[in-house]
Amino acid sequence: MFEFVRTHTRLFLFIIVLLIIPSFVFFGIEGYSRFSDGTNAPVAEVAGRKITQAEWDAAHREQVERVRRQMPGVDAKLFDTPQMRQQTLDGLVREHVMLAAAADLNLVTTDDRLQRIFASDPQFAALRNPDGSVNKDFLGAQGMSSEMFAQRLRQDLTLRQVMQGMSGTVFAPPAVAGSALDAFFQQREVQVQRFDTKDYVAKVSPTDADLEKFYKDPANASLFEAPEQASIEYVVLDLDTLKKSVTVSETQLKEYFQANEARFATPEERRASHILVKAEASAPTDVRAKAKAKAESLLAEVKKNSAGFAELARKNSDDPGSAERGGDLDFFGRGAMVKPFEDAAFSLKPGETSGVVESDFGYHIIQVTGARGGAKKTFDEVRPQIEDEVRTQLAQKEFAANAVDFSNMVYEQAESLQPVVEKFKLQLRTAQGVQRTPRPDTPAPLNNPKFLEALFANDAIRNKRNTDAVETAPSQLVSGRIVQYAAAHTLPFAQVKDKVRERVVAMQAAALARKEGEARLAQLKKEPQTALAAEAATVSRAQTKDLPRPLIDAVLRADTAALPAVVGVDLGDAGYAVARVTKVLGRDPIAADPARAQAQYAQAWGDAEARAYYAALKSRLKVSVDDKAVANAEAASAAAR
């Protein structure tokens, strides 16, 4: 089939043209474009409501932008990964599930509740002005209006109600919580006798017949199998390759520096203290005049004794948040304060005090106590960074322009990679021992599942032709071809005899250890009062004392109605162990606070019930995610990057 397609490429192109042209006639150019626009393709559906790729992309952009505003220094590329995009989609699906559930349950958040939570919840303290109103300037710096904030908060509180009915009403009775906590935190005193495989190795001597029997057993064939592997040659078209051939002029670098000069400066900040004489903008004229007179009086006192500013603020400032700190507002940047306050603060040097500054809140006296930031790096200081960024941008344009030609060439001239090497000035790379399932230390892109799948496809193995161009990372295309191939096969006995012997010796030694351990267990069950030579140790699931987990589980599951209790544990290749439980003790000290432990148990149980409830909601609302559409969207997004 593939051979026929390659041979008759022109015929297939002609047929495709015949199919496409009538579609333009019937639907029109605009309709055809709309039909083929992938951004409106649904990637998920919740309660009959489709989530499109465009909606997903917008949500992810908003999330990245929100992080960028909160942490200006963070590299946004860290969040533009398939994993982070998947988290965004999961969050979008969850939001739609909660919205649909809230609508079904007729849940709403009233204006009174919205105002009460905003006024009392500590997490909104930074958004509240001294008079309790919304700090519009702060919201503006975050890209939101007060209406947008209120709408988001209302929706968030409404959606919380969906899950709070489940997670917020968990009841964990002390008896139930106690049983669960005992299962994890209970301590037991135990003596252990180990029968380790390594101690029996010298006591076994397998014959050649034993070795051959183990080797020929079909159940062990995979132990001595050489995996399929290939020697390959491959080429990589990526930004690093293209950056080497990109030339950048000094003029381009300087223009880029001038356009992005603000990026190479540390944001300017001021630390200031203030005294506020409160008088709202809506207050009567005489009230504001009286407040201003008081502020001028306080300013006169500050001028007489600037060192006493903090004490004056404690006694006279109407801003309760800062008054108790002597008026200190700590460091703040532009956009954090109302405009008149900001202008005054940034016009002063450390140690200087403003005059009376009027704002909508009243009258301020501002004393600047510190300044930082604002330093700008010179062109020479950031030249290497600028050059790298410009080269990367130009390389991205080159990649976008060359990606299609690269993909077409490795397909159309499939007998060799030399044509793309010469055209794009790429390095022809080679690798030996490449496997379908890569080893942990295999470097990229030879560890990429999509590339390996293409490389070990039947057609690529049989005809040793180029693979299609495979995207193995953002802005990275790879094509390879098999030069020499070896199928998976069982290695000759002579070649693996030593490995077979190790396996058989370990197996026989473990069997001997298990036999003696079981005999010891039977003896102790007859005479349970017989003490073991080992010192007693206190263990729990939290404090294992380096004992194997199966042994710990067996000790803590043992029936302690009659003590001592004896248990035996098969440790597999490691041997066997016999344990004698002599005492049942209280909980591990790590759980010394019963109330806290019970609260944590209740929280864990609530989280589990909430997850189960969410899964039930997804089922009831018929949530579906189109994995193929998601994969296509990811590929389109990666190509755009």
Side-chain angles (χ1 to χ4, degrees):
M1 178 64 185
F2 289 103
E3 183 65 27
F4 181 84
V5 172
R6 291 178 186 274
T7 306
H8 301 85
T9 301
R10 292 183 179 274
L11 174 62
F12 272 80
L13 288 174
F14 179 70
I15 293 172
I16 290 171
V17 169
L18 288 179
L19 292 172
I20 291 176
I21 289 177
S23 67
F24 278 98
V25 173
F26 285 104
F27 298 106
I29 294 177
E30 181 182 352
Y32 189 83
S33 299
R34 184 170 61 251
F35 176 79
S36 62
D37 185 5
T39 60
N40 287 322
V43 293
E45 185 174 329
V46 178
R49 201 273 194 203
K50 299 184 185 303
I51 300 175
T52 65
Q53 180 187 338
E55 195 175 348
W56 178 19
D57 291 340
H60 188 68
R61 282 195 302 272
E62 181 181 353
Q63 183 171 332
V64 173
E65 193 59 36
R66 186 163 55 248
V67 172
R68 184 183 293 166
R69 286 196 301 267
Q70 293 172 349
M71 297 181 289
V74 74
D75 185 356
K77 293 179 182 178
L78 295 174
F79 300 91
D80 201 13
T81 63
Q83 293 80 8
M84 295 302 294
R85 286 180 56 80
Q86 183 61 50
Q87 287 186 19
T88 302
L89 180 58
D90 292 343
L92 203 55
V93 168
R94 185 180 182 86
E95 181 179 324
H96 281 71
V97 168
M98 295 297 110
L99 284 170
D104 288 348
L105 297 169
N106 297 315
L107 299 177
V108 294
T109 299
T110 63
D111 291 341
D112 289 343
R113 182 167 182 261
L114 186 71
Q115 181 59 39
R116 186 172 64 254
I117 290 177
F118 175 74
S120 60
D121 197 321
Q123 69 175 314
F124 301 123
L127 298 176
R128 293 194 295 264
N129 289 320
D131 62 353
S133 61
V134 179
N135 189 331
K136 296 182 179 180
D137 293 320
F138 187 87
L139 286 178
Q142 307 303 312
M144 282 194 296
S145 65
S146 57
E147 291 77 13
M148 290 170 59
F149 171 71
Q151 181 181 357
R152 287 192 182 186
L153 180 57
R154 187 188 303 277
Q155 177 175 298
D156 182 53
L157 294 173
T158 300
L159 298 188
R160 286 185 197 177
Q161 294 180 66
V162 176
M163 301 305 294
Q164 280 177 342
M166 183 63 62
S167 61
T169 58
V170 171
F171 177 64
V176 176
S179 297
L181 293 169
D182 280 345
F184 188 81
F185 291 117
Q186 187 184 81
Q187 300 178 104
R188 294 187 175 185
E189 188 178 86
V190 62
Q191 290 178 300
V192 176
Q193 183 175 354
R194 296 284 295 268
F195 298 84
D196 293 327
T197 298
K198 60 182 177 60
D199 296 331
Y200 294 85
V201 169
K203 298 179 182 181
V204 298
S205 181
T207 64
D208 286 347
D210 292 333
L211 302 185
E212 289 193 22
K213 180 181 178 181
F214 187 85
Y215 171 77
K216 292 178 180 178
D217 188 339
N220 301 324
S222 61
L223 299 175
F224 313 111
E225 186 176 80
E228 65 175 330
Q229 53 185 295
S231 296
I232 71 166
E233 55 185 25
Y234 65 103
V235 290
V236 179
L237 180 71
D238 60 7
L239 295 184
D240 289 339
T241 302
L242 296 174
K243 281 168 68 174
K244 296 175 183 176
S245 61
V246 169
T247 56
V248 183
S249 68
E250 199 71 9
T251 301
Q252 286 176 296
L253 296 180
K254 290 183 177 179
E255 288 176 351
Y256 185 86
F257 174 74
Q258 291 171 357
N260 297 274
E261 197 168 1
R263 283 181 49 214
F264 306 111
T266 307
E268 188 178 8
E269 293 183 320
R270 287 287 187 273
R271 181 168 191 165
S273 298
H274 82 138
I275 299 172
L276 170 66
V277 180
K278 191 174 180 181
E280 297 179 7
S282 58
T285 304
D286 60 329
V287 172
R288 289 187 64 83
K290 185 177 179 181
K292 184 176 182 181
K294 180 181 177 181
E296 289 174 343
S297 174
L298 290 170
L299 176 61
E301 291 188 49
V302 170
K303 289 181 177 179
K304 292 178 182 177
N305 179 21
S306 61
F309 189 96
E311 189 60 30
L312 276 175
R314 289 189 188 93
K315 293 179 179 179
N316 299 281
S317 180
D318 293 330
D319 179 7
S322 65
E324 62 184 18
R325 299 192 303 271
D328 183 32
L329 297 170
D330 208 338
F331 278 99
F332 54 87
R334 292 187 182 274
M337 301 294 180
V338 292
K339 196 69 169 60
F341 191 103
E342 175 188 302
D343 291 343
F346 279 87
S347 68
L348 300 172
K349 296 178 181 178
E352 294 182 343
T353 302
S354 71
V356 173
V357 178
E358 182 179 358
S359 77
D360 289 343
F361 305 115
Y363 299 92
H364 309 261
I365 303 168
I366 305 168
Q367 187 178 79
V368 173
T369 56
R372 66 185 182 190
K376 295 182 179 179
K377 295 182 180 179
T378 65
F379 172 75
D380 290 334
E381 287 177 316
V382 297
R383 190 185 187 285
Q385 178 184 347
I386 290 174
E387 184 174 2
D388 182 70
E389 291 180 7
V390 173
R391 283 184 180 277
T392 299
Q393 291 181 4
L394 295 176
Q396 286 173 334
K397 293 179 181 178
E398 285 287 317
F399 181 85
N402 294 334
V404 174
D405 289 343
F406 176 88
S407 301
N408 290 340
M409 186 172 286
V410 296
Y411 176 77
E412 293 168 358
Q413 302 185 43
E415 303 302 326
S416 172
L417 292 170
Q418 199 58 38
V420 291
V421 168
E422 294 173 357
K423 178 173 182 178
F424 298 103
K425 296 180 175 57
L426 304 178
Q427 175 188 356
L428 184 63
R429 312 182 191 191
T430 60
Q432 286 74 42
V434 178
Q435 299 178 9
R436 187 187 295 262
T437 302
R439 291 181 291 268
D441 59 345
T442 303
L446 301 178
N447 60 357
N448 184 272
K450 291 191 293 185
F451 177 53
L452 292 173
E453 182 182 357
L455 195 62
F456 284 93
N458 291 334
D459 182 58
I461 293 174
R462 183 173 60 252
N463 298 316
K464 295 184 172 58
R465 287 183 168 139
N466 302 340
T467 68
D468 288 341
V470 178
E471 184 182 43
T472 56
S475 300
Q476 183 182 77
L477 292 175
V478 179
S479 177
R481 59 186 298 271
I482 290 178
V483 177
Q484 189 173 359
Y485 173 79
H489 61 282
T490 302
L491 297 169
F493 176 72
Q495 189 173 338
V496 295
K497 186 175 181 179
D498 290 341
K499 186 177 180 181
V500 174
R501 180 180 296 278
E502 289 178 8
R503 289 275 183 172
V504 174
V505 166
M507 183 180 67
Q508 292 182 351
L512 187 56
R514 183 166 52 254
K515 181 180 179 181
E516 292 197 12
E518 289 173 345
R520 180 60 165 157
L521 176 64
Q523 179 187 4
L524 288 172
K525 284 186 175 181
K526 291 180 181 178
E527 302 173 359
Q529 297 302 325
T530 303
L532 299 180
E535 290 186 8
T538 300
V539 299
S540 70
R541 285 192 171 87
Q543 305 287 340
T544 63
K545 302 294 175 66
D546 295 328
L547 294 179
R549 178 57 63 179
L551 179 57
I552 291 292
D553 289 342
V555 165
L556 292 168
R557 281 201 307 265
D559 184 359
T560 57
L563 293 176
V566 182
V567 293
V569 183
D570 186 349
L571 300 176
D573 292 341
Y576 197 84
V578 175
R580 182 172 176 269
V581 181
T582 56
K583 291 181 183 179
V584 175
L585 306 173
R587 292 181 190 169
D588 194 299
I590 198 172
D593 185 349
R596 181 181 178 188
Q598 185 172 345
Q600 290 175 336
Y601 169 78
Q603 181 180 351
W605 192 254
D607 290 343
E609 289 195 347
R611 288 194 297 270
Y613 180 52
Y614 178 60
L617 284 176
K618 289 175 68 176
S619 176
R620 179 164 64 82
L621 296 171
K622 296 181 173 56
V623 174
S624 63
V625 177
D626 189 334
D627 293 334
K628 185 175 180 180
V630 169
N632 291 338
E634 282 293 348
S637 175
R641 294 196 295 269

